[in-house]
Amino acid sequence: APEGLTVMQLVKQGRYPYQTWLKQWSEEDEKSVGNALKATGIDHLKDRTVDSLSGGQRQRAWIAMTLAQDTDIILLDEPTTYLDMTHQIEILDLLFELNEKEGRTIVMVLHDLNLACRYAHNIVAIKDQKIFDQGKPEVVINCGLVKHVFGMNCEVTIDPLFGTPLCIPHGKGRRILKDKIGAPV
């Protein structure tokens, strides 16, 4: 976002496609922006500059801009990248809620398999720019897929909180520690 741009100005950009020479800012536009700010929980930040926000707040502002567009489908490319664990969960909870309550289709790229399994109804695994497998997380995510797509051995168990697949990657560090002390750490 350009320096000095406020959250309100950013979110209003989501209504830009609806503006024409004959139809300028409307009550409907105002309502959509207000709803987007409220849905993302940042209405109290509307006068702050985007560059003064935390990473999680900034992501919410960008998502609010997307929501202001009032589209049935939302496309997101790694919306949780560079966020700490708390903000990742907050963003994914928000998107899940938008899907459940408003029926919006949300398509996003996530590289964290465990979060993808927790939140996705369907997963598409891509390798070499082609669909390797797709379907419900409990069907798609297994040790074979992780080995083929990511080149990594793992264990797949059940997430005790959500009942979804939980991928536990093997790593050299663990084997080295195990070999050094004789037992897993």
Side-chain angles (χ1 to χ4, degrees):
E3 191 175 328
L5 188 72
T6 67
V7 170
M8 177 64 93
Q9 291 168 327
L10 175 67
V11 177
K12 281 183 171 184
Q13 293 300 310
R15 298 303 297 171
Y16 183 75
Y18 298 96
Q19 309 300 304
T20 67
W21 289 105
L22 300 174
K23 182 182 177 251
Q24 294 297 311
W25 193 256
S26 69
E27 196 173 300
E28 180 182 346
D29 295 322
E30 195 70 37
K31 183 179 176 186
S32 292
V33 167
N35 288 342
L37 288 166
K38 187 175 180 182
T40 53
I42 59 167
D43 43 341
H44 65 289
L45 301 173
K46 66 183 178 186
D47 295 322
R48 295 240 334 246
T49 59
V50 174
D51 54 357
S52 73
L53 302 176
S54 71
Q57 291 169 332
R58 191 173 295 136
Q59 286 294 74
R60 285 178 178 270
W62 285 102
I63 291 170
M65 182 192 74
T66 303
L67 296 180
Q69 293 177 23
D70 285 329
T71 59
D72 293 332
I73 300 173
I74 298 172
L75 304 174
L76 300 167
D77 186 13
E78 300 186 56
T80 58
T81 299
Y82 305 119
L83 297 181
D84 63 35
M85 193 176 357
T86 300
H87 287 106
Q88 288 179 14
I89 298 301
E90 285 177 0
I91 294 298
L92 293 172
D93 281 347
L94 166 68
L95 295 169
F96 187 83
E97 192 173 296
L98 289 169
N99 172 259
E100 292 289 312
K101 288 185 177 177
E102 296 184 17
R104 294 187 193 218
T105 298
I106 299 174
V107 178
M108 74 176 100
V109 174
L110 282 180
H111 287 114
D112 185 318
L113 286 179
N114 294 329
L115 289 178
C117 287
R118 277 188 175 188
Y119 288 94
H121 295 186
N122 290 287
I123 287 184
V124 178
I126 298 174
K127 179 177 173 131
D128 298 326
Q129 301 177 357
K130 294 181 181 141
I131 294 175
F132 181 83
D133 201 357
Q134 63 183 346
K136 295 179 184 260
E138 54 273 11
V139 174
V140 172
I141 300 301
N142 57 58
C143 297
L145 176 129
V146 174
K147 178 68 174 172
H148 283 92
V149 174
F150 297 100
M152 177 175 273
N153 292 318
C154 73
E155 302 299 320
V156 175
T157 188
I158 302 299
D159 184 317
L161 297 177
F162 291 85
T164 56
L166 180 67
C167 179
I168 304 168
H170 293 188
K172 290 181 181 178
R174 185 178 191 288
R175 277 189 243 120
I176 291 169
L177 287 174
K178 181 179 177 183
D179 293 342
K180 283 185 177 182
I181 61 173
V185 175

